Structures are given as C-alpha cells and as structure tokens.
Amino acid sequence: MIRISVDAMGGDYGPDITIAGAAIAQKKIPNIHQIFYGIAEVVEPVLKKYPELAAVSTFVPTETYTRMDEKPSQALRNGRGKSSMWYAVEAVKNGEADACVSAGNTGALMAMSYFCLRMMAEAERPGIAGVWPTLRGESIVLDIGASIGASADHLVDLAVMGAGMYRALYHTQCPTIGLLNVGVEEVKGLDEVKQAGLMLREVHLEGLEYKGFVEGNDIGNGTVDVVVTEGFSGNIALKAAEGTARQMAKILRDAMKKSIFSRLGYIFSRGAFRQLKQKMDPGRVNGGVLLGLNGVVIKSHGGTDADGFASAIRVGYEMVNNRLLETIAHDLRDFHQKKPVLLKQENNTALNI
Amino acid sequence: MIRISVDAMGGDYGPDITIAGAAIAQKKIPNIHQIFYGIAEVVEPVLKKYPELAAVSTFVPTETYTRMDEKPSQALRNGRGKSSMWYAVEAVKNGEADACVSAGNTGALMAMSYFCLRMMAEAERPGIAGVWPTLRGESIVLDIGASIGASADHLVDLAVMGAGMYRALYHTQCPTIGLLNVGVEEVKGLDEVKQAGLMLREVHLEGLEYKGFVEGNDIGNGTVDVVVTEGFSGNIALKAAEGTARQMAKILRDAMKKSIFSRLGYIFSRGAFRQLKQKMDPGRVNGGVLLGLNGVVIKSHGGTDADGFASAIRVGYEMVNNRLLETIAHDLRDFHQKKPVLLKQENNTALNI
C-alpha cells in the first residue's frame, strides 16, 4: 500500500478537480491510500459525491490553505502548521505519507518542501523536472524553475536525478541524456555546460547514456529522453513552447471559424485535432517532480482537469513504487565518488570545480 | 539609392534562392542597388535568368565561399579576403554598400562582421535580433545567440538597440519593452535582469516604454514589442518555440492523412491552414539583424525561400533608410550619459555595476 498525501485545496479549482482526480486515480491504482488535507466545509461536500473514494481514504481538516498568488515566504509564514499544503508536505516528513501531490502555488510548494523535507545528503540544490510531449513520446526536462544558474556539478546532479525519474516513470534501463546548449560552435555555451559535458562523458555513470549537447528544437523532437539545463533557461524554454502551442491553436481555431468551408473541414477532421490535442496536452502526463529532497513531492499543473490530477497522483505512485529516492541517492553517491578520479586524471586543470 | 551587398552563395540553396529573392526585392524596392558576391560559375548562370535584375545590379566574382558547417574561426581563416561572405561584409566597411545580407553560416557571419566592422563606440557587445510572429503581429526578440550571458548594462543596451530596430521596421514611435524572466516570485530571475529592470525603470529613455518582466509565453502572445534577454536563453527560447511549431505541424499533418474524413476535412479547411502557415512563418519577416556593429548586417534564415530572402533584403533596406545606426548610437549615448545620474541617486548601492 502506497500512501499519498493530497493538498485538496490546491489548483485553480480546488477540491472539484483534486477530489475528482483522486477518485479516478483510486480506481486505476487500487493499492494506494490517499490522505486529503483541506478546509472541512469545502472538501467534505465534494468528498461526499465520491463515497467509494471516501470509504478507502482519510480526510484531515486544516485551518487554512495556501493561495495561488502568495509569495513563497508569505505562504511559509501564513501556512506553516496551518495550511493544507503544509500538512500534505509534512505528512511525507513524518512518515505518514510516501508522496505528496499538490496543484497549488509552485513557489510555495517548493519553499515548504525545501523547508520541511530538506535536501538529501547527496544533492546540493533542488530541481523541478517536467514531462514534455515530443514527437517520439515524452521526455523529461529539468530544471524548469527550482533555481537559477547551475554549476557543472549541479548540472550532472540534475542529469542523474532526471535519469532516475525517467527510469521510474518509463521503466527504461538506460535513458539518453542531453545537455541543453546553443548552436554557435565557437562559443558553444556556458562554461558550466561544457564542464558538465566533459564530466558526463568521462565519468561512466550507470543508468544513463550521455548523448552530448542538444538545442532548443531537440526538446520537441524527442532527440533524448532527458534534457538537462539550469532553471532559468529551462523555465523560459518550457513557457516559450507552451506559448507557441497555445498561439498556434488559437490561430487555427480562429481561422477555422472564418468560412463555412473551414467549419465543415473542422467537422471532418475533428479526429485529427483530437489527436493533436491529446499528443500536445501537458496534462497527459501531468506532474512536475521536485527532486533532490528527502521525500517525493509532485507538482500538478494548477489549471489541470481531473484526469490530469489523477495523472499527477500516478506519477507520485510510480516514483515511490520504483524507489526513486533510493535510486537517486545511490546514483548521486556514485557520481560524487567517481568524480575525484576524473579530477586526478585531468590534473585538476581541465575542470574548474 | 541604397546599396545592398549580397552574399549570393549563402544559405542552404545558394544563388537559386538568393538571386531569385534579390529579383523579388528589386521589383518591390526599385531604389536599391544590389552587389552580388560569389563564385562566377555558380552565380552567373542563375543571374542570366533574371536579366532585369542583372541590368541594374553588380556582380563581383570571388575565389571561394563560406560553408554552412565551418566553425567561425575556420571561416575567418579560410574566408578572409576570399569568400563571398567576407566580401559582402567588407563592402559595408569600405563604404561600397550600406547593408550586407547573407543567408550563410551565422557564426561565421557574426565573426566576420565583428572582425571587419568592429563594435560601435557606444556598444560593448553585439547582439542578434530576430523577428518573432505573435498573436498580436510581430515582436523583436534579442539577443538570440550573439553572445552568452549579459550584464545589466548589456541588457539595457540590447533594449535600446531592439527599440531602435523596432522603430525602424514598424515606424512605431515608442515600442514597449519587456525583460525576459522566470515566474517564481522569490527568486525572480538573475541579478543582472533585476538590475537592468531597475535601470530601465529609473532612467527615462526616449523611444521606448519599459513594461517590466515578461515570461516565455508572453513572447508568442505579443505582450510587448521587444523582448530582451541574454543570448543563451534567447537562443533556447527561439529554438524551443520553432521546435514546438514544427512538432505541432507534423502531428497535425500525420493525423490529417490517417482517415478519408480527415483528408476531406483538410481540403475544406485548407484556407485556415494557409493562414496558420502564413502567420507562423518565420520567413514572413525573415532577417535577424546584427546589432552594435559599425554597419548593418542582416542574417537571413539558411533554409529560407526566395520570398523570405527578399524579406531579409527589405529588412536591410529599412534599417538603412530609417538610419538605424545613427538612432542606436544616439540612444546608447543617451543611456550611458543618464546612467551615472541614477548611480549617484542610488548612492552606488542599489546597482552593482
């Protein structure tokens, strides 16, 4: 039995989506026990609509909840020991839950998780990994915004953590890894990225296959399973891609409405549009994973639907079921043990670390 | 009469596209004189097909040309004083041309332009500005890869140069400017970005209206006229967006072929797809502008068609006709003169510059 703590108040629609999503997840993954945290007057009426779910889960009333627009420091101040998000995270710390899922405020969730769960001994800084729909299926991109800037070491840590998450989610033995970089040869990227590439090439890490640098367009092509970058460019890439997808959808939708012919065309080709929507839908595998912490915390999109929230719960389940934390801790130790060998070989000059 | 030097060998298809594009441009903008540089045996046969263009333009044979896969340093070594790209750039330096247009290797064009034309006194580092199709029309995004990382000063320089280019291209008096940043409140972006924001807010520059931070999805929405970022994240954002657009187009195309219904749907809604293609087509306003140099250099997409190349020539024409260089030099001087006032006001503490 895997126990999931759910911030029932999180997201743009609160329990209407989170509880509905939890009900879907409960049917698909019967061996989970879900613990819901939230304001009693808000959550209980919704939970009553799902008697099967209510029968096998626990509800814990909380005093308050974390607003979507609170700053992380505010949220921590206002929510500590009080809000549904805080309790959901703390349940993981206290061993009452194996994973926490929230569709709430990302910054607040990050801050509470960091504050409450602390970094695992092997990782220096956290990362957020997102699942990106590609032409080849799905890739994992990280960091998409947990921190800004990254040393070569942190980039390799991200590669190791991303590979562990990919293995847990897709059951691939040795996912391929690419470092996000720019295409101009001479100035081939940041020093940190070059150094991280050198390390990934020289230190043979089990459980991942380093493929070299990739560029922005490789993400959507699915050139590699895991794309590694620091949080600033990762966040910008993610949002630029999401923006482009919405932009194209809007242009097409508007154009389709313009003439009777194109309206007719839309009717005939609805199946094709459904496929597009399904393939590009970030909710299909909805669930950013907070990595590097002593606990599994899943961030669902705030605007997700019930299916998307169920998917985030499934991601949490997979991470626990496939022992993500142990894997990552083991692999990070492996990297940090092997690294000094490289430094010695390179006579301390090639790598400025 | 505005004189444009054209690297006729540049791009994926060489003169077949560049000369065809030049012919289109010559018809649309009669008061230009084009000078073509390239291998005689390759360019002359194509030029013969456009007798009207040949009659009003000049062809200068060159010994060699710069390959698309040469590294910038190689290209400079191999091409200096020899290649069509070199000659096209040098023509601007020598005052034989007012602007140079090439669809060749970006890194090589950047290196040759930097080496040959040098930075203008007012600018410290170069930038490449691209035109981005948005829901509102077009925006300019810079830097998309001329250099990596940027100080607060350089970001403001980019804002000033981007605003100048926007005014020259779209004849808007006071374009809006946004600094690309990430959404997490607490760690609201790089220090340099925050400082640049402070400067843009405090120093009242004529000819631009600073709107604050924007995120990746704001680019496609057209939230501001000019989006400013350093070259690493700019390049990644651009390529991530281009990748997403191609990915969606491919998924839709494949899905449309799958059933007889969707094929029929495609036929009916062809007009809508044409609109999408036209609106998202980077070739519609094709022409990255190299900024900060003592000369106007336009980089066309390598894989552009003749219309796209003609559009790059038009961009070069507009930049010269609207005195881009004088404008930028004036505005940069203005910023650098006003900046010390801010430093004094802020008692040298708020800005770490």
Side-chain angles (χ1 to χ4, degrees), chain B residues 66-328:
Chain B
T66 299
R67 270 76 182 165
M68 292 303 269
D69 58 355
E70 279 181 277
K71 287 189 182 177
S73 56
Q74 272 184 328
L76 204 53
R77 226 170 20 246
N78 301 339
R80 192 176 167 190
K82 284 187 209 158
S83 86
S84 55
M85 185 189 278
W86 174 271
Y87 276 113
V89 173
E90 206 186 31
V92 175
K93 185 194 173 196
N94 295 342
E96 292 157 16
D98 303 302
C100 161
V101 180
S102 174
N105 181 332
T106 309
L109 184 64
M110 193 72 227
M112 288 184 188
S113 304
Y114 187 77
F115 185 87
C116 194
L117 299 171
R118 303 279 162 190
M119 296 304 297
M120 53 169 65
E122 293 79 6
E124 257 176 57
R125 295 167 70 193
I128 303 179
V131 175
W132 193 299
T134 76
L135 283 176
R136 221 170 40 95
E138 279 137 18
S139 295
I140 286 174
V141 180
L142 78 168
D143 177 21
I144 52 171
S147 59
I148 285 179
S151 64
D153 261 25
H154 182 52
L155 288 170
V156 180
D157 280 1
L158 288 171
V160 168
M161 297 195 290
M165 173 173 159
Y166 195 94
R167 292 200 304 271
L169 207 51
Y170 301 104
H171 311 288
T172 304
Q173 283 216 328
C174 197
T176 54
I177 309 281
L179 283 171
L180 196 58
N181 206 341
V182 296
V184 186
E185 282 293 332
E186 204 82 330
V187 288
K188 202 84 184 172
L190 294 161
D191 280 344
E192 293 80 4
V193 179
K194 286 189 261 185
Q195 286 170 17
L198 208 58
M199 278 202 265
L200 282 165
R201 208 171 280 294
E202 295 294 320
V203 181
H204 292 287
L205 298 170
E206 281 165 36
L208 65 84
E209 188 190 348
Y210 176 59
K211 287 287 193 184
F213 297 143
V214 294
E215 295 192 52
N217 48 325
D218 288 308
I219 311 177
N221 285 337
T223 308
V224 290
D225 297 327
V226 181
V227 176
V228 174
T229 185
E230 55 81 36
F232 189 80
S233 40
N235 187 280
I236 283 170
L238 180 74
K239 291 197 173 148
E242 284 180 354
T244 304
R246 269 200 299 273
Q247 177 189 0
M248 284 182 73
K250 180 162 174 22
I251 292 172
L252 204 52
R253 212 163 40 232
D254 291 353
M256 284 286 187
K257 283 184 198 150
K258 269 196 186 153
S259 79
I260 186 82
F261 282 111
S262 54
R263 274 169 200 262
L264 211 61
Y266 176 73
I267 293 171
F268 278 115
S269 45
R270 242 181 324 197
F273 284 104
R274 223 174 359 243
Q275 277 183 49
L276 175 68
K277 202 179 160 208
Q278 200 201 353
K279 285 199 176 167
M280 294 298 292
D281 182 12
R284 192 161 56 122
V285 179
N286 170 32
V289 179
L290 274 56
L291 293 169
L293 303 166
N294 290 310
V296 175
V297 179
I298 309 299
K299 167 66 177 84
S300 157
H301 271 270
T304 192
D305 59 10
D307 284 317
F309 197 75
S311 165
I313 293 171
R314 188 181 70 76
V315 170
Y317 167 82
E318 295 283 356
M319 293 302 116
V320 176
N321 199 37
N322 292 292
R323 304 181 165 277
L324 178 75
L325 296 186
E326 291 90 325
T327 304
I328 283 180

Side-chain angles (χ1 to χ4, degrees), chain A residues 319-335:
Chain A
M319 294 301 116
V320 176
N321 199 37
N322 293 291
R323 304 183 166 276
L324 178 75
L325 296 186
E326 290 91 324
T327 303
I328 283 180
H330 169 272
D331 292 356
L332 286 176
R333 262 197 307 274
D334 181 45
F335 161 56

